[in-house]
Each structure stands twice: as structure tokens, then as C-alpha cells.
Amino acid sequence: MKRLNPDNTAPSASQPSATASALYTGKAPGKRGTFRKNRELLALSLPGVLFKLVFSYLPLIGLVLAFKDFRYDKGILGSNWIGFKNFEFFFTSEDAFRITRNTILYNVGFILLTTVIALALAIALNEVTKRFMKVYQTALFLPHFLSWVVVGYIALAFLDHEKGFINQWLIQFGAEPIKWYQEAQHWPFILNLVHLWKSVGFATLIYYAGIIGLDSSLYEAAKIDGAGRWQMVTRITIPLLTPLILILFILDIGKIFRADFGLFYFIPNNSGMIYSSTDVIDTYVFRSLKVVGDLGMSTAVGLYQSVVGFVLVLCTNAIIKKINHENALW
């Protein structure tokens, strides 16, 4: 006769425990139907997993080209190993310092400007009336969906030497027209402005979603205590959004050695006269691949960007973890 084991009592000698049964059968308890139970979620994630596999992981095989003198007739496996010569060619060139400097400085400016202004706009959206909220959100978010080709033509309409809107206005006020695509000193301001216009809306909506998720009872208690709007922003909103701000900051630091190719290629119209201010690592790699056809050097520069970005993410997260463990990404 089968012995019953009441709840909250130790299993009898004749009734094996769940752990013993798992060891005997070789299967962990509760794992048998995991995939069947979550098949809908797995099916939904399948396109994203395949996208990452095809476009992010399979191309990693090509990193071997960074250490080879690639020849089309020999292929990837048959090309000769040359070690770090592709890296030496890049770092000893006169362009290495210039494009690295431009890439870092532009990205630092983008991170700081976008974070500050997006946070300010998100707080402002939370304070305005809800009647025109959709209008404000659409106006901010619409530039995000425009391709850089379209934005490049918009910029050309403003900056064209002969028929551009800005030069036409300057002529009307008696000033001399500016040759925007021939004078490099104007482009740090132009590129920061264009990037801010296109990207600030998406960042604003992220921060606005974070503000909506905050506990409203904190604001009600602050109002009862006599706190003003500015005090609630500085004492409640910003401190509670700090983890979100730091997470986005860490992710942006990982991309500090990767410039937005469309921004730096289409907006300056690939003008060689302003390369000193507009040329970055990504545009340099594109031209070296397009003009010279050197796959090895292009791959070496791309690997250099990825490794440095990965190290920066680890270092930034470690620093934030030292300051406040709860705000770290992992």
C-alpha cells in the first residue's frame, strides 16, 4: 500500500525526495515544460534573436581580416597573416589623431547636450497641460524618423552658398554670404545642432516615460509640505531618475568611439575642404574601403572601436558601482 506524506513533514524513507528523483532521472524538476510553457514568448523573441545572430554575431568571423593581408583571389582563410601591421598603418598615419579626436569630442558633446536638454524637455512636458501633449510629442519625435539623407537635403537648403536660406537672409541684411561647405570652423556648431534636433525627441520620451512611472504620492506629500515646482524637480524628479540617466549614460559611453555615419557623411555633403572638422573614424573607414579597398585596415579600425568601447563601458560601470552600487548597470 502506497504511503501518504502529509504536508510540512519530512519525506519517508520509502518516498524519494524531488532532488533524489531528479538525480535518478537526470532531469531537473520543473524544467521539463519550460519551452512549451513559454513558447509564445520564445516565438515573439525569435525575429530579434535571428536579427542579432545574422547581423551581430556571424560577422564576428570576419574580424580575422584585421590580422591578414586580404586578397580576393586567396579568400579569407588563404590570405597571409601579417599580425598587427594593419593597426600600425592606421595609428602611424597622420589622420589617426585627427579622426579619433573628432570622434571623441563630438560624442562627448552629443551626450552632454542631449542628456541635459532631453531631461529639461521631459520635465517641461510633465508640467504642461495634457490638452496638447500629443502635438508636443509628435513635434519632438518626428525628426527621429527622418533618414540622414533627407536631413542632409534639409541642411543643404539652409547652407547652400548661392540659394541657401541662411545666405539669402545674410544678403538681405547686407552681410557677406558664408561658404559653409568650404569653411571648417562652422561645423562643430552645425553638427551638434543637427544631431540635437534629430535625437533629442527620442531621449525626451524615454525620460518622460520614466517621470510618468514615478510615485505620485511623493509629489502630493511635497505639496502638502509647501514645496514649489523647482524644489520637487530637484529633490524628487531628478534623484529618482538618476538610475535611468546613468544607464543611458553607460550605454552612450560604449558608443563614444563610434560616430553616426549618416550625420558626418550626408550633412557635410562629404566635402573634402572641411574634413578637419567633420571627418571621424567611421567616415575615414568608409573612404579607405571605397577608395583604397583595404579590407584589412578597415576591419582593424572597426575592431579598435569595438574593443575600446567595451573597455570604456566596463570602466564607467565600475566607477558608478564604486560611487553607488544600486545605480550600476550590473
Side-chain angles (χ1 to χ4, degrees), residues 95-223:
D95 300 321
F97 173 76
R98 172 175 56 85
I99 62 176
T100 302
R101 177 203 64 195
N102 288 347
T103 304
I104 295 175
L105 292 180
Y106 274 120
N107 279 321
V108 169
F110 294 162
I111 293 171
L112 295 178
L113 282 175
T114 304
T115 301
V116 173
I117 297 180
L119 187 59
L121 288 174
I123 294 172
L125 282 178
N126 192 51
E127 297 294 332
V128 300
T129 177
K130 306 299 181 181
R131 183 178 179 182
F132 298 104
M133 181 60 65
K134 296 296 182 182
V135 177
Y136 300 142
Q137 291 179 351
T138 303
L140 284 171
F141 202 53
L142 183 61
H144 176 74
F145 292 101
L146 298 178
S147 69
W148 282 118
V149 178
V150 175
V151 179
Y153 279 109
I154 296 174
L156 182 63
F158 280 91
L159 303 176
D160 185 72
H161 178 62
E162 296 181 356
K163 299 180 180 180
F165 295 144
I166 296 180
N167 279 341
Q168 292 296 323
W169 294 335
L170 290 176
I171 293 173
Q172 289 180 4
F173 286 101
E176 289 292 327
I178 300 174
K179 297 180 180 179
W180 299 102
Y181 293 99
Q182 298 178 20
E183 300 176 6
Q185 67 269 22
H186 307 295
W187 283 92
F189 172 76
I190 295 172
L191 291 174
N192 275 282
L193 182 63
V194 173
H195 179 272
L196 183 65
W197 174 74
K198 193 174 186 299
S199 62
V200 72
F202 185 76
T204 299
L205 289 183
I206 293 177
Y207 290 128
Y208 181 65
I211 292 175
I212 292 177
L214 299 180
D215 189 359
S216 60
S217 63
L218 297 175
Y219 295 95
E220 295 173 0
K223 288 181 181 178

Side-chain angles (χ1 to χ4, degrees), residues 30 34 51 58 63 66 74 86 92 98 117 148 190 194 198 206 208 220-221 239 258 263 266 268 274 285 291 299:
T34 300
F51 179 86
L58 288 181
L63 291 178
K74 292 184 178 181
N86 285 323
T92 56
R98 172 175 56 85
I117 297 180
W148 282 118
I190 295 172
V194 173
K198 193 174 186 299
I206 293 177
Y208 181 65
E220 295 173 0
R258 289 191 177 276
L263 170 64
F266 292 109
I274 54 176
V285 171
V291 178
T299 308

Side-chain angles (χ1 to χ4, degrees), residues 12-326:
S12 62
S14 61
Q15 183 181 6
S17 64
T19 305
S21 177
L23 292 173
Y24 178 78
T25 59
K27 298 180 180 179
K31 300 292 184 182
R32 187 173 184 179
T34 300
F35 290 99
R36 183 179 299 176
K37 181 180 179 181
N38 300 296
R39 59 181 179 271
E40 292 86 359
L41 294 176
L42 293 172
L44 288 173
S45 65
L46 186 60
V49 172
L50 291 177
F51 179 86
K52 275 299 195 183
L53 179 65
V54 173
F55 292 101
S56 297
Y57 290 99
L58 288 181
L60 292 177
I61 300 173
L63 291 178
V64 70
L65 291 174
F67 308 96
K68 287 195 169 191
D69 181 16
F70 178 73
R71 288 179 51 180
Y72 290 95
D73 56 339
K74 292 184 178 181
I76 296 177
L77 298 178
S79 299
N80 298 327
W81 285 94
I82 58 174
F84 291 94
K85 289 187 178 180
N86 285 323
F87 295 90
E88 292 175 6
F89 178 80
F90 170 71
F91 286 111
T92 56
S93 68
E94 60 182 10
D95 300 321
F97 173 76
R98 172 175 56 85
I99 62 176
T100 302
R101 177 203 64 195
N102 288 347
T103 304
I104 295 175
L105 292 180
Y106 274 120
N107 279 321
V108 169
F110 294 162
I111 293 171
L112 295 178
L113 282 175
T114 304
T115 301
V116 173
I117 297 180
L119 187 59
L121 288 174
I123 294 172
L125 282 178
N126 192 51
E127 297 294 332
V128 300
T129 177
K130 306 299 181 181
R131 183 178 179 182
F132 298 104
M133 181 60 65
K134 296 296 182 182
V135 177
Y136 300 142
Q137 291 179 351
T138 303
L140 284 171
F141 202 53
L142 183 61
H144 176 74
F145 292 101
L146 298 178
S147 69
W148 282 118
V149 178
V150 175
V151 179
Y153 279 109
I154 296 174
L156 182 63
F158 280 91
L159 303 176
D160 185 72
H161 178 62
E162 296 181 356
K163 299 180 180 180
F165 295 144
I166 296 180
N167 279 341
Q168 292 296 323
W169 294 335
L170 290 176
I171 293 173
Q172 289 180 4
F173 286 101
E176 289 292 327
I178 300 174
K179 297 180 180 179
W180 299 102
Y181 293 99
Q182 298 178 20
E183 300 176 6
Q185 67 269 22
H186 307 295
W187 283 92
F189 172 76
I190 295 172
L191 291 174
N192 275 282
L193 182 63
V194 173
H195 179 272
L196 183 65
W197 174 74
K198 193 174 186 299
S199 62
V200 72
F202 185 76
T204 299
L205 289 183
I206 293 177
Y207 290 128
Y208 181 65
I211 292 175
I212 292 177
L214 299 180
D215 189 359
S216 60
S217 63
L218 297 175
Y219 295 95
E220 295 173 0
K223 288 181 181 178
I224 295 174
D225 292 338
R229 291 184 180 274
W230 178 249
Q231 290 176 317
M232 287 189 286
V233 167
T234 56
R235 303 294 178 87
I236 299 176
T237 305
I238 294 179
L240 292 180
L241 284 181
T242 299
L244 176 61
I245 296 171
L246 291 178
I247 288 173
L248 295 178
F249 176 74
I250 293 172
L251 296 177
D252 287 336
I253 286 294
K255 297 181 289 185
I256 201 170
F257 266 73
R258 289 191 177 276
D260 194 328
F261 174 80
L263 170 64
F264 291 96
Y265 186 81
F266 292 109
I267 305 303
N269 209 18
N270 196 29
S271 175
M273 301 183 69
I274 54 176
Y275 278 166
S276 60
S277 293
T278 62
D279 201 16
V280 290
I281 295 176
D282 297 77
T283 54
Y284 181 83
V285 171
F286 173 78
R287 285 198 310 276
S288 66
L289 182 60
K290 181 181 178 181
V291 178
V292 183
D294 193 340
L295 283 175
M297 192 195 71
S298 303
T299 308
V301 176
L303 180 59
Y304 156 67
Q305 288 178 289
S306 300
V307 171
V308 173
F310 178 68
V311 172
L312 286 175
V313 168
L314 294 179
C315 294
T316 306
N317 187 76
I319 293 172
I320 294 175
K321 194 173 182 178
K322 284 285 186 180
I323 298 173
N324 190 334
H325 185 274
E326 295 181 354

